[in-house]
Every structure is written in structure tokens, then in C-alpha cells.
Amino acid sequence: MVVVKVENLQKNFGKVKALRGISFECFEGEIFGLIGPNGAGKSTCLRILSTILSKSEGEVKIFDYDVSEKMKIKRIISYLPEDAGAYKNLKGIDYLKFFVNFFTDVQDKDKTLEYGIELSSLGERLNDKIETYSKGMVRRLLIARSLMINPKLAILDEPTSGLDVINATQIRDIIKNKAKEGTTFIVSSHNMLEVDYLCDRISLINNGLIVESGDIRGLKEKYRAQNIEEIFVKVVGVKNDF
């Protein structure tokens, strides 16, 4: 089943063309990677999918809903931007409770909160204020907030940005397990090892255009490459700062 269908998506910021007609599809239960250098258009695309930005031209559908049907889409997706933060004066548990009350029906609140606590793996530290958390702890809390509501589609921009190996591994495992349960993911990451580990298929974006797409194994064979960064260098022709 096609979960996300993007056709000729364009986004202009005045005279700047951030997206210049990209197209791709994402299927149910897969982890799809949208990767490329800084300024390529990745985050712009994710913000359009999450209904934060409007498109200039093209078609975007999520579970057959046009991206303009914002309220219908917001009920079935979650979005975690790279620069997301949490309310520092709240305790971790109160932060989760706030979002449970915001997104969840009354009968499901206790179950959703329990699941959020489990996903965060923060234990007793949930009773402490978020201002006392490390960056890794905050990111785990944010991942729990994003996934505890069991979205049909989770859009994650740099999900493990700035985390140490242990915290990053835990978050990747959470994403893998949720995908096995049927959640569809679109992930953007500068970490090519992470993309290789997580993603079923990828699209490489550069200067607002998709320059290559496919499953990772097939792309490695096509370009006789050892890793995804090597593929990108061969496709684009110059080494970019991922």
C-alpha cells in the first residue's frame, strides 16, 4: 500500500527554489530515507509532508488524503524536527501526560502514557525536570512523545542528531521495532551508517532535485559502492558535507 505519494513537488521561497519538482513514494511499514547535503531540500520536504509548510506546486498525498487536508493528516502522523525541544520547566512525566491529553481519546490515555514511559526508558528520571536532562535523554523523551500515540506515519528529521552511540542505538532499535509493528517511517539523516542500518529504500536529494532512488543493496550494486556516501559522491560528482 502506498502511504506517501509525492509528484512534482515544488517549493519556492520568493526567488529561491528549495524543491524543484521531486517525486517519490513510500510504502506501508517501510523505513524510507530522504538524504542529501545541507540545504538540499530535505527538511523543507518533511515540513510539507507534516503540513507545516504549504507546497508551491505538485501533488502530495498521505494515505490518499491531499496534504491540504491538514486536520485529517495530523490525526494519523507524528513529526519530529531536528531542532525540536521540550518544555524545560516540566517534569518528563508531565511532558508525556500533556501530549497524551492533547492527542489521545479518553479511554486510551492510561495505556498511551504507559507506552510512552516504556519507550522513553528514562525510569525514575521522568520525575525530574527536563532542564536536568542530557541531550540524549531529551531526544529519547521526544521520540517517546512522537511514537507513543502509534502514528500510521512517523516523520523524523535527524532522529539521533548529536547523540552518543548507546542512545543512538536505542532510538534506532525503537524505530526498527515500530516498523515491524506496521508504522511507516520517513527519516532524514546525515549519518550514512544510520541510514544503511535503518532504511529499506532511499532517495538522494541535491539542490532541490531527486538524483537517485532505490533500495540500498541495489544502489550499492549499481554503483559498485561500499556505502551510501560513496553512492552519493558518484551520483552528484563532488563530495558534499553530509
Side-chain angles (χ1 to χ4, degrees):
M1 176 184 176
V2 176
V3 170
V4 177
K5 186 173 184 179
V6 175
E7 292 186 338
N8 192 35
L9 175 60
Q10 300 177 46
K11 179 61 180 178
N12 303 323
F13 295 99
K15 294 182 179 180
V16 177
K17 295 183 177 181
L19 297 174
R20 298 191 285 153
I22 67 172
S23 300
F24 63 87
E25 291 181 336
C26 180
F27 301 101
E28 187 172 19
E30 79 170 343
I31 305 174
F32 180 86
L34 188 64
I35 66 172
N38 291 324
K42 304 184 301 296
S43 294
T44 297
C45 179
L46 298 188
R47 288 173 186 142
I48 291 171
L49 293 176
S50 62
T51 76
I52 291 174
L53 286 178
S54 60
K55 57 187 173 64
S56 297
E57 291 186 39
E59 182 179 64
V60 179
K61 288 192 173 181
I62 298 176
F63 286 97
D64 289 329
Y65 294 124
D66 187 86
V67 74
S68 62
E69 300 180 80
K70 293 185 178 183
M71 293 311 298
K72 291 180 180 178
I73 291 175
K74 285 180 182 295
R75 293 190 186 103
I76 57 175
I77 72 168
S78 65
Y79 170 54
L80 182 62
E82 179 183 4
D83 57 357
Y87 307 119
K88 292 184 178 181
N89 289 327
L90 283 180
K91 295 179 180 178
I93 189 66
D94 293 329
Y95 178 81
L96 292 179
K97 286 178 180 178
F98 173 83
F99 282 95
V100 166
N101 289 328
F102 193 78
F103 286 106
T104 311
D105 293 333
V106 174
Q107 64 269 27
D108 297 326
K109 286 184 178 180
D110 289 343
K111 184 177 180 180
T112 302
L113 179 60
E114 183 178 339
Y115 187 40
I117 292 170
E118 177 186 345
L119 284 174
S120 75
S121 300
L122 290 172
E124 292 298 320
R125 289 303 306 273
L126 284 170
N127 295 314
D128 297 332
K129 286 190 176 183
I130 295 169
E131 64 183 1
T132 68
Y133 288 7
S134 67
K135 184 174 182 178
M137 293 170 67
V138 172
R139 203 65 181 169
R140 281 156 58 186
L141 185 70
L142 292 170
I143 289 287
R145 181 262 284 174
S146 299
L147 300 183
M148 69 182 181
I149 59 173
N150 286 315
K152 290 185 177 181
L153 170 66
I155 302 168
L156 308 179
D157 196 354
E158 302 289 344
T160 64
S161 175
L163 301 187
D164 60 35
V165 173
I166 293 175
N167 282 305
T169 299
Q170 290 173 340
I171 288 176
R172 290 172 195 145
D173 288 343
I174 289 171
I175 293 170
K176 278 276 195 181
N177 290 333
K178 288 297 293 181
K180 289 177 182 178
E181 294 172 5
T183 300
T184 304
F185 287 86
I186 295 182
V187 176
S188 176
S189 176
H190 284 89
N191 187 328
M192 296 299 102
L193 290 176
E194 175 170 274
V195 172
D196 209 336
Y197 173 74
L198 280 178
C199 295
D200 302 298
R201 292 187 306 116
I202 59 173
S203 280
L204 306 174
I205 185 170
N206 190 48
N207 293 325
L209 293 170
I210 299 290
V211 294
E212 184 60 282
S213 294
D215 68 272
I216 293 174
R217 178 179 294 180
L219 290 174
K220 286 180 179 178
E221 292 176 356
K222 178 178 178 179
Y223 291 97
R224 297 180 180 179
Q226 297 296 316
N227 53 58
I228 298 172
E229 185 171 356
E230 188 178 339
I231 293 169
F232 195 92
V233 171
K234 290 185 176 184
V235 172
V236 176
V238 294
K239 189 165 184 177
N240 286 271
D241 178 22
F242 280 93

